[in-house]
Amino acid sequence: MKISTKGRYALRMLVDVAQHQSSGTVTLKEIAERQGISKKYLEQIVTILSRAGYVKSMRGAQGGYMLTKEPSEYTVGMILRLTEGSLAPVACLDADEPCGRSSTCVTLDVWRQLNDAINQVVDHVTLADLVKEQLAKPGYTLL
């Protein structure tokens, strides 16, 4: 399993919004400049996030984006599943019906353990956790 740029950038975008929304809304231009991501690509990502209700937009001179909930209410898993789909390492873990080999498959338990480990991590790290870690990074300054 490999997380795409869409998933990585969505996460970076939401961390950025969480960090900067205390002074009002955050524009895509500001995020693009701080994160080094094209504004055009952020427009595609924000559409997904907005449709899912993760961010809301404000129009006008003071327009931009803000989170719809507290940063502590968003997990990395929620964001990645929205942008990436399933995080399962193999397709057979997503299947509605078990594979015909599942009763004798020696590797299935390995895939389940890997899937459980992935979910354990991504479902227990929040945007608030990432903001806190970002602010603690040596040399980091809030722009």
Side-chain angles (χ1 to χ4, degrees), residues 31-123:
I31 298 167
E33 289 172 359
R34 282 191 293 261
Q35 296 299 321
I37 301 170
S38 109
K39 184 176 174 244
K40 198 89 167 148
Y41 199 14
L42 287 175
E43 288 169 354
Q44 295 172 26
I45 294 169
V46 81
T47 299
I48 296 166
L49 298 172
S50 186
R51 283 187 186 145
Y54 287 23
V55 295
K56 63 181 173 184
S57 64
M58 307 289 278
R59 295 182 183 260
Q62 300 300 316
Y65 292 90
M66 54 191 330
L67 300 177
T68 57
K69 299 185 260 185
E70 292 298 315
S72 61
E73 296 181 58
Y74 297 87
T75 66
V76 171
M78 290 168 58
I79 298 159
L80 292 180
R81 285 186 196 92
L82 176 66
T83 56
E84 301 290 323
S86 172
L87 299 178
V90 290
C92 63
L93 294 178
D94 283 332
D96 291 334
E97 294 197 23
C99 163
R101 298 181 46 100
S102 64
S103 62
T104 59
C105 180
V106 70
T107 61
L108 185 58
D109 284 339
V110 172
W111 305 135
R112 282 188 182 131
Q113 289 175 41
L114 180 58
N115 191 50
D116 291 346
I118 291 167
N119 289 325
Q120 175 65 26
V121 172
V122 298
D123 290 337

